[in-house]
Amino acid sequence: MVVSLERWVGKVAIVTGASAGIGATISRSWTEATNLTDGDSQLWKEIFDTDVLGLCIATREAVKDMRENKVAGHIIHINSVGGHYIPNLPNTNVYPASKHAVTALTETLRQELNSIGSKIKVTSVSPGVVTTEFVDACFTRSRTSPPPELKEMVQELPSLQASDIADGVLYVLATPPHVQVRLCNIRLSSILNKIYLVGL
Amino acid sequence: MVVSLERWVGKVAIVTGASAGIGATISRSWTEATNLTDGDSQLWKEIFDTDVLGLCIATREAVKDMRENKVAGHIIHINSVGGHYIPNLPNTNVYPASKHAVTALTETLRQELNSIGSKIKVTSVSPGVVTTEFVDACFTRSRTSPPPELKEMVQELPSLQASDIADGVLYVLATPPHVQVRLCNIRLSSILNKIYLVGL
Amino acid sequence: MVVSLERWVGKVAIVTGASAGIGATISRSWTEATNLTDGDSQLWKEIFDTDVLGLCIATREAVKDMRENKVAGHIIHINSVGGHYIPNLPNTNVYPASKHAVTALTETLRQELNSIGSKIKVTSVSPGVVTTEFVDACFTRSRTSPPPELKEMVQELPSLQASDIADGVLYVLATPPHVQVRLCNIRLSSILNKIYLVGL
Amino acid sequence: MVVSLERWVGKVAIVTGASAGIGATISRSWTEATNLTDGDSQLWKEIFDTDVLGLCIATREAVKDMRENKVAGHIIHINSVGGHYIPNLPNTNVYPASKHAVTALTETLRQELNSIGSKIKVTSVSPGVVTTEFVDACFTRSRTSPPPELKEMVQELPSLQASDIADGVLYVLATPPHVQVRLCNIRLSSILNKIYLVGL
């Protein structure tokens, strides 16, 4: 799909947490052991600073900019499956907590904008595991070198493409002014079976 | 938007509950008093039979048909805002309960299809108040004749159009085979303020 | 614990759905195959009539009685784990849907009573698998005769006792007038592991 | 109720976020304006560091201690109404986000302990507005001096007492080893009406 983004310049803020999300978390669980009962405070702090505070600050600045320019803009928070329930996977650590915080922030922002009569729309787009981040995270972020057979297995796992999420964002943006998509949860058709099969 | 539905014949089942949903409920609260503490068992039964059992049966038949024809089809449940939280409106009655049941049914169906390795996709599209049903319900379903000024007020209320929901359904259907939109919640940008202003 | 119920006569309504809940559902999944894609409409109807409509009617009558007698009573809905999320078990059928409906009914009732200034309290007590119903259901409700080794296995499964739920109800009832426990979810400490181990 | 805490020494960790919770947030909304669209990054950081990271660290240390001493202990997270839905109040800021994070952390911890076969129990006790913190917060934390009539009004608001929450904790602790209360939500019977009446 070829799309001109020109009509949205200055009108849309797509705000994410860390660039590698659930994929990074899952892959990290293969290569390091991090969890709530013996994890590292500094790592937790980085996750909340990036995924939650970073998102808060970027959102505040986008809203300020839109209001100063009298733009009825659109804030899109890229959340995660982990923002809606706790996936029963090992070593998910503070990841679901950070994404549950984002779920609450999106809704709090909507109420706040509504209470001041703002026309700015707020949408949560919530993807499952996306492929690029997944593979990247698995092999560039791990502290130890993963075994070669793991690399092969991961590359064969089905996963969402970045363009799948982009399609969702485009649909959300294309809605007329009176329509606000609150939540759009985009998942793989059958990934979970596969993930469980490989041992998670 | 002009769309040919031919490519989806036999492949898609869009299953709803009663044709007039939250709109009917809201309008009914202006014209009759029905609630949980002194409501009518027969009315409750009708709502569950139509909105929940009817949806179960239609879904079962659609899945059977798809599996017999080896079609990797798509079940779309049209749910409601009332399926996700309890709107603090008077006389909502068993309506939120029936829609919470639908929310659970959609997810139970997805798990069941996943457990038997089916490629059938399942999506919940969850609209807010849609205009046609809202006005219709208000003036054709009420047991007593509503006052003329109410009719005027209701017609001026902003609300979703049926085509807004159709756009969401089209986006969901157009996703590639590996993508499954689980949930798409479509609301008005600012309706709730208005509804509260008119006394609900 | 020995408790005199005299002080609560006419003041408390403990409303349940079918007497055998999640236990019956789980055990039925061993002995019959019932599910959403090929299940029996009549069975579904019975479940909604009993677990949802029955609860609605009993609740309405209890509230009427309390209001006529000017009693600041207490309605306690006995819900289930299935009212809060979809347990990933085979053949759960419409069970989670019926319990999600109860979750919504409890909250709708609270809002309704609040809106009319009633002092009646509303509480949801939500147990996991309770032992008596579990074993009973497994061996008296099944259409086919279960194998003897299943009976032995089930009897050795850890599970909640009816008295565990009673303790929760007593705590809830003993709160002073200004305190309302909205939700009390009582589970086994480690049952889920065991259930999964036996093949569910 | 007279209770000896001796039997629980070394066995129980009651972990809270900031000592003044929803009460502080509500009162602050009367005396300062802080929100998501023009709030202060430093304040947000403090809230997440205290309410979320602080809780994570305290929990980790408690679990370590229990495991080293082979104690089948009990972790009780004191959460908040804001951990379960977004109260439609002005200036709630990042408060609901921090508490939604706690909701996720409690559940993630339970899954993690379960996966390693630990007998440590995990419970979320979730109070509404508690009186002492409410009044204190209103008059010692505000940056500006509140009007005297506000002080009077606040002191007359009904609210939970610290002992009401303590009663809930005692019930949870008194359950036998096989019983785990997952969630106990303790609210005022009718406070919300009052809060809305005073302008929130």
Side-chain angles (χ1 to χ4, degrees):
Chain A
M1 193 187 299
V2 179
V3 178
S4 162
L5 284 170
E6 207 166 293
R7 53 184 283 216
W8 289 312
V9 169
K11 296 184 182 172
V12 176
I14 298 176
V15 188
T16 69
S19 60
I22 184 75
T25 301
I26 293 172
S27 63
R28 200 183 282 157
S29 74
W30 284 332
T31 52
E32 342 166 11
T34 64
N35 54 44
L36 291 181
T37 54
D38 59 10
D40 172 30
S41 310
Q42 188 54 35
L43 173 67
W44 295 345
K45 193 170 173 53
E46 282 168 24
I47 291 177
F48 283 111
D49 282 355
T50 311
D51 284 19
V52 183
L53 267 181
L55 177 136
C56 285
I57 292 169
T59 300
R60 181 188 63 201
E61 296 307 308
V63 170
K64 272 188 188 170
D65 192 61
M66 290 172 186
R67 296 185 73 194
E68 279 168 16
N69 295 301
K70 300 192 190 308
V71 169
H74 201 145
I75 307 287
I76 297 180
H77 283 165
I78 305 294
N79 200 324
S80 159
V81 55
H84 305 287
Y85 67 99
I86 315 293
N88 200 355
L89 302 174
N91 306 115
T92 52
N93 211 299
V94 299
Y95 180 80
S98 74
K99 295 307 180 187
H100 273 67
V102 171
T103 299
L105 285 165
T106 307
E107 188 58 27
T108 308
L109 177 66
R110 189 188 345 267
Q111 288 187 359
E112 188 176 317
L113 288 170
N114 202 38
S115 74
I116 58 176
S118 170
K119 290 183 177 171
I120 296 171
K121 293 185 193 179
V122 181
T123 297
S124 171
V125 171
S126 215
V129 180
V130 176
T131 199
T132 51
E133 64 178 2
F134 188 73
V135 179
D136 287 356
C138 202
F139 301 109
T140 63
R141 290 198 154 202
S142 65
R143 295 177 187 170
T144 58
S145 181
E149 66 272 23
L150 177 61
K151 183 165 184 174
E152 201 174 321
M153 185 180 67
V154 167
Q155 283 170 337
E156 284 172 11
L157 276 179
S159 84
L160 295 170
Q161 307 298 313
S163 62
D164 299 327
I165 312 309
D167 285 347
V169 169
L170 288 173
Y171 156 64
V172 164
L173 287 175
T175 55
H178 70 286
V179 175
Q180 178 180 232
V181 177
R182 290 207 176 181
L183 185 57
C184 188
N185 287 359
I186 305 168
R187 305 276 186 270
L188 264 184
S189 292
S190 55
I191 180 67
L192 287 176
N193 270 338
K194 299 296 177 51
I195 283 192
Y196 286 124
L197 281 180
V198 297
L200 288 177
Chain B
M1 191 186 299
V2 180
V3 178
S4 162
L5 284 171
E6 206 166 294
R7 54 185 281 218
W8 288 311
V9 169
K11 296 184 182 171
V12 176
I14 299 178
V15 188
T16 69
S19 60
I22 185 77
T25 301
I26 292 172
S27 62
R28 199 183 283 157
S29 74
W30 284 331
T31 53
E32 342 166 10
T34 64
N35 54 44
L36 290 182
T37 55
D38 58 10
D40 173 29
S41 311
Q42 188 55 36
L43 173 66
W44 298 343
K45 194 170 172 52
E46 284 169 23
I47 292 177
F48 284 110
D49 281 355
T50 312
D51 285 20
V52 183
L53 266 181
L55 176 135
C56 285
I57 293 169
T59 300
R60 181 189 62 202
E61 296 307 308
V63 169
K64 273 187 189 172
D65 192 62
M66 290 172 185
R67 295 185 74 194
E68 279 168 17
N69 294 301
K70 301 192 188 311
V71 169
H74 201 146
I75 307 286
I76 298 182
H77 283 165
I78 306 293
N79 200 324
S80 160
V81 55
H84 305 286
Y85 66 100
I86 314 293
N88 200 355
L89 302 174
N91 306 115
T92 52
N93 211 299
V94 299
Y95 181 79
S98 75
K99 295 307 181 187
H100 273 67
V102 172
T103 300
L105 284 165
T106 307
E107 188 58 26
T108 309
L109 177 66
R110 190 190 342 268
Q111 288 186 359
E112 187 176 319
L113 288 169
N114 202 39
S115 74
I116 58 175
S118 170
K119 290 182 176 172
I120 296 171
K121 294 185 192 180
V122 180
T123 297
S124 171
V125 171
S126 214
V129 180
V130 176
T131 198
T132 52
E133 64 176 3
F134 188 73
V135 179
D136 287 356
C138 202
F139 301 109
T140 62
R141 290 198 155 201
S142 65
R143 295 177 186 170
T144 58
S145 181
E149 66 272 21
L150 177 61
K151 183 165 183 174
E152 201 175 321
M153 185 180 68
V154 168
Q155 283 171 337
E156 284 172 9
L157 275 180
S159 84
L160 295 169
Q161 307 298 313
S163 62
D164 299 327
I165 312 310
D167 285 347
V169 169
L170 288 173
Y171 155 65
V172 163
L173 287 176
T175 54
H178 69 286
V179 175
Q180 178 179 233
V181 177
R182 290 207 176 182
L183 185 57
C184 188
N185 288 358
I186 304 170
R187 306 275 186 269
L188 264 183
S189 292
S190 55
I191 180 68
L192 286 176
N193 270 338
K194 299 297 175 51
I195 284 193
Y196 286 124
L197 281 180
V198 297
L200 287 178
Chain C
M1 194 186 297
V2 179
V3 178
S4 162
L5 284 171
E6 206 167 293
R7 54 184 282 218
W8 290 311
V9 169
K11 296 186 182 171
V12 175
I14 299 177
V15 189
T16 69
S19 60
I22 184 75
T25 301
I26 292 173
S27 62
R28 201 183 282 157
S29 74
W30 284 331
T31 52
E32 340 167 13
T34 64
N35 55 43
L36 291 181
T37 56
D38 59 8
D40 172 29
S41 310
Q42 189 55 36
L43 173 66
W44 298 343
K45 194 171 173 51
E46 283 168 24
I47 292 177
F48 284 112
D49 282 355
T50 311
D51 285 19
V52 183
L53 267 181
L55 177 136
C56 285
I57 293 169
T59 300
R60 182 189 63 201
E61 296 307 308
V63 170
K64 272 187 188 171
D65 192 62
M66 290 172 186
R67 295 185 73 195
E68 280 168 15
N69 295 301
K70 301 191 187 310
V71 169
H74 202 146
I75 306 287
I76 298 181
H77 283 166
I78 306 293
N79 200 324
S80 159
V81 55
H84 305 286
Y85 67 99
I86 314 294
N88 200 356
L89 302 174
N91 307 113
T92 53
N93 212 299
V94 300
Y95 181 79
S98 74
K99 296 307 180 186
H100 274 66
V102 171
T103 300
L105 285 166
T106 307
E107 188 58 27
T108 308
L109 177 66
R110 191 191 339 270
Q111 289 187 0
E112 188 177 317
L113 288 170
N114 202 38
S115 75
I116 58 175
S118 170
K119 289 182 177 172
I120 296 170
K121 295 185 191 179
V122 181
T123 298
S124 172
V125 171
S126 215
V129 181
V130 176
T131 199
T132 52
E133 65 177 2
F134 188 73
V135 179
D136 287 355
C138 203
F139 301 109
T140 62
R141 291 196 155 203
S142 64
R143 294 177 189 169
T144 58
S145 180
E149 64 271 23
L150 178 61
K151 183 164 182 173
E152 200 175 323
M153 185 180 68
V154 167
Q155 284 170 335
E156 284 172 10
L157 275 178
S159 85
L160 294 169
Q161 308 297 312
S163 62
D164 299 327
I165 312 309
D167 285 346
V169 169
L170 288 174
Y171 155 65
V172 163
L173 287 176
T175 54
H178 69 286
V179 175
Q180 180 179 230
V181 177
R182 290 207 177 182
L183 184 58
C184 188
N185 288 358
I186 304 169
R187 305 276 186 271
L188 264 184
S189 292
S190 54
I191 179 68
L192 287 175
N193 270 338
K194 299 297 176 51
I195 284 192
Y196 286 124
L197 280 181
V198 296
L200 287 177
Chain D
M1 194 187 297
V2 180
V3 178
S4 163
L5 285 169
E6 205 166 293
R7 53 185 281 218
W8 289 312
V9 169
K11 296 185 181 171
V12 176
I14 299 177
V15 188
T16 68
S19 60
I22 185 76
T25 302
I26 292 173
S27 62
R28 201 184 280 158
S29 74
W30 284 331
T31 52
E32 342 165 12
T34 64
N35 56 43
L36 290 181
T37 56
D38 58 11
D40 172 29
S41 311
Q42 188 55 35
L43 173 65
W44 296 345
K45 194 171 173 52
E46 284 168 23
I47 291 176
F48 283 111
D49 281 355
T50 311
D51 285 19
V52 183
L53 267 180
L55 177 135
C56 285
I57 293 169
T59 301
R60 182 190 62 201
E61 297 306 308
V63 170
K64 272 187 189 171
D65 193 62
M66 290 171 186
R67 296 184 74 195
E68 280 169 14
N69 295 299
K70 300 191 187 312
V71 169
H74 201 146
I75 305 286
I76 298 181
H77 283 166
I78 306 293
N79 200 323
S80 160
V81 56
H84 305 286
Y85 67 99
I86 314 293
N88 200 355
L89 302 174
N91 307 116
T92 52
N93 212 301
V94 299
Y95 180 79
S98 74
K99 295 306 180 187
H100 274 66
V102 171
T103 300
L105 285 166
T106 308
E107 189 57 28
T108 309
L109 177 66
R110 190 189 343 268
Q111 289 187 359
E112 189 177 318
L113 288 169
N114 202 38
S115 75
I116 58 176
S118 170
K119 290 183 177 173
I120 296 171
K121 294 186 192 179
V122 181
T123 297
S124 171
V125 170
S126 214
V129 180
V130 176
T131 198
T132 51
E133 65 178 2
F134 188 73
V135 179
D136 287 355
C138 201
F139 301 110
T140 62
R141 291 196 154 204
S142 64
R143 294 177 188 172
T144 58
S145 180
E149 65 271 22
L150 177 61
K151 182 164 183 174
E152 201 175 322
M153 186 180 67
V154 167
Q155 283 171 336
E156 285 172 9
L157 276 179
S159 84
L160 294 170
Q161 309 297 313
S163 61
D164 299 327
I165 312 311
D167 285 347
V169 170
L170 288 174
Y171 156 64
V172 163
L173 287 176
T175 54
H178 70 286
V179 175
Q180 178 179 232
V181 177
R182 290 206 176 183
L183 185 57
C184 187
N185 288 357
I186 304 169
R187 305 276 186 269
L188 263 184
S189 292
S190 55
I191 179 69
L192 287 176
N193 271 338
K194 299 297 176 51
I195 284 193
Y196 286 123
L197 281 181
V198 298
L200 288 178

